[in-house]
Amino acid sequence: KARIYAPNRDYIDIGNDKTRGYVVDRVLFDRELAKRAVNRGANLQLKERVKKVKYPEVIAFSRYKGRIIVGADGLNSVVRRSIGVKAPKIIGAMQTLVRYEAEDIEKVYIFLGNSVAKGFFAWLIPLDENFAKVGLASYHAPWDSLKNLLKKLNLKPLSIVGWGIPIGWVDRSYDNGIILVGDAASQVKATSGGGVYPGLRCAQCAVKIIERALEAGAHSSSFLSSYEKCWKSGIGRELRRTLMLHKIYRKIRDEEFNGIIRELKDEKLIRVINEEGDIDYPSRVVFKILKRKPSLLKYLSIPAKPYHIQI
Ligand SMILES: Cc1cc2nc3c(=O)[nH]c(=O)nc-3n(C[C@H](O)[C@H](O)[C@H](O)COP(=O)(O)OP(=O)(O)OC[C@H]3O[C@@H](n4cnc5c(N)ncnc54)[C@H](O)[C@@H]3O)c2cc1C
């Protein structure tokens, strides 16, 4: 369930008893993935730091060789830099842990408006009855914006984390003997910054193409370009739509957010959101709502130029 606030504090409640997402302990999640990889024969080298990749060599404290090298090294990917692919644009995000007595730990709160988080949004997600995460991403001063929000909510930060959300495509997600997966390839939903699901979907493409490459003894750039074709024609289609929506969303002004929330206060529309809403495919519900309520289009400035050129 979620309560979505407009800048004027008006709100809508969406969701029902159907579970839409889970709050995951990221340390345990990553540890479990690492454990599974090791059980399948991976050689895990902790405390290593890759400095450069020059196919087939990976230069860290020691040197390694790979038939196919996967750059799944996150936002500031060294592998991406090594193959001369430019970093994507980034939006700054901050999150704090706060003491918070949740009335309903199943309910998250979303705060819209440039006055709260320019070009993005803020969130409050209860972790249990006593603690919550409060965070936001913003094109302008994310930390100051978060401090303002905490002040308004009368909450004090217990710990703080900051990161960057990659926005927009990278030019290429492959090279001779090398592929990029996850944040390294900017495989993130631009509407939310969520990269776990799309990264995993792209990893499925990576597995398929790497298996083929190893079988064929091939590693050329043109062979591995089929990895990019695979993810762009799969989850990439949704990522492209989220980019377009983000581009439109960025332009919405606070009065327009107020209007959108006012117009969404309609049982039929809320039902559409509840039935069609899918956290991993956010564009679907947006297009369904716009179809049902075309008057909402007046709040949106649709770009004349293709959005991927502008972002
Ligand atoms: C606080 C926070 C909250 C988030 N919330 C969500 C959410 O709710 N839902 C969601 O879907 N996404 C969320 N994200 C985004 C999500 O975490 C990323 O999209 C996702 O983790 C990307 O996975 P990845 O494997 O590509 O990169 P990462 O998870 O960043 O992993 C990269 C790995 O590479 C390692 N590495 C980096 N450089 C080197 C190097 N030179 N040598 C060796 N190793 C290296 C790093 O140590 C790390 O282990 C959140 C991110 C943050 C920071």
Side-chain angles (χ1 to χ4, degrees):
K1 286 174 264 182
R3 174 166 292 179
I4 305 177
Y5 280 98
N8 65 2
R9 300 201 175 190
D10 194 9
Y11 63 83
I12 53 165
D13 282 317
I14 58 169
N16 45 31
D17 290 334
K18 189 174 157 195
T19 303
R20 312 285 163 154
Y22 295 93
V23 177
V24 174
D25 182 323
R26 194 53 205 275
V27 174
L28 291 182
F29 179 73
D30 284 6
R31 208 175 280 162
E32 179 59 29
L33 290 183
K35 214 159 52 180
R36 287 187 189 193
V38 169
N39 286 342
R40 293 289 196 99
N43 176 2
L44 186 64
Q45 296 285 329
L46 296 170
K47 300 200 175 139
E48 265 290 24
R49 199 90 205 140
V50 175
K51 292 180 200 131
K52 201 176 166 184
V53 170
K54 202 159 185 270
Y55 185 81
E57 242 194 337
V58 176
I59 301 143
F61 296 122
S62 304
R63 287 178 179 238
Y64 303 86
K65 270 192 178 166
R67 280 197 280 165
I68 303 288
I69 296 165
V70 179
D73 50 346
L75 184 67
N76 299 311
S77 172
V78 170
V79 183
R80 185 184 60 221
R81 202 180 320 136
S82 299
I83 61 172
V85 171
K86 256 197 346 216
K89 287 201 175 140
I90 285 170
I91 174 165
M94 304 281 312
Q95 185 170 270
T96 59
L97 178 71
V98 295
R99 198 166 256 291
Y100 177 77
E101 281 178 31
E103 271 169 40
D104 179 356
I105 62 163
E106 303 283 313
K107 192 172 199 167
V108 303
Y109 297 84
I110 303 290
F111 306 90
L112 307 178
N114 294 295
S115 47
V116 183
K118 191 170 167 43
F120 219 75
F121 60 86
W123 58 86
L124 183 153
I125 303 172
L127 296 175
D128 56 29
E129 281 81 10
N130 298 308
F131 293 98
K133 292 193 285 188
V134 179
L136 54 77
S138 173
Y139 279 101
H140 175 70
W143 176 227
D144 287 339
S145 309
L146 185 53
K147 277 195 290 192
N148 286 340
L149 177 66
L150 290 169
K151 210 164 148 190
K152 272 191 219 155
L153 298 173
N154 200 19
L155 296 170
K156 291 214 160 54
L158 299 173
S159 67
I160 303 163
V161 52
W163 73 102
I165 297 172
I167 301 276
W169 299 123
V170 290
D171 294 340
R172 206 160 25 90
S173 57
Y174 60 89
D175 199 75
N176 178 35
I178 296 173
I179 57 175
L180 302 174
V181 181
D183 279 16
S186 199
Q187 290 159 342
V188 168
K189 285 172 278 177
T191 40
S192 66
V196 173
Y197 177 78
L200 289 171
R201 291 302 303 269
C202 295
Q204 288 177 326
C205 281
V207 168
K208 192 168 91 183
I209 303 305
I210 291 170
E211 271 175 354
R212 276 190 208 157
L214 293 178
E215 264 168 34
H219 58 75
S220 67
S221 216
S222 71
F223 191 98
L224 295 182
S225 68
S226 50
Y227 158 65
E228 187 161 291
K229 273 194 209 100
C230 175
W231 74 260
K232 282 200 171 168
S233 62
I235 190 69
R237 291 155 74 105
E238 177 63 13
L239 296 183
R240 189 179 285 276
R241 287 184 208 115
T242 63
L243 258 180
M244 176 191 71
L245 291 174
H246 173 70
K247 175 74 191 157
I248 295 167
Y249 179 91
R250 272 185 75 173
K251 299 258 167 68
I252 301 176
R253 289 172 304 193
D254 280 10
E255 316 83 78
E256 291 165 336
F257 277 122
N258 295 337
I260 291 170
I261 292 293
R262 194 176 54 242
E263 293 209 29
L264 284 177
K265 281 184 163 199
D266 170 333
E267 249 177 58
K268 280 189 200 138
L269 291 178
I270 300 279
R271 204 174 312 132
V272 174
I273 296 174
N274 291 344
E275 279 164 15
E276 305 290 341
D278 184 333
I279 200 163
D280 294 316
Y281 295 87
S283 74
R284 289 179 185 168
V285 70
V286 174
F287 293 125
K288 289 241 159 75
I289 291 279
L290 289 175
K291 214 165 143 193
R292 281 284 184 105
K293 186 117 183 154
S295 64
L296 283 169
L297 283 167
K298 67 176 176 284
Y299 299 112
L300 312 177
S301 38
I302 313 287
K305 272 196 213 157
Y307 51 86
H308 61 271
I309 294 173
Q310 294 182 20
I311 277 177

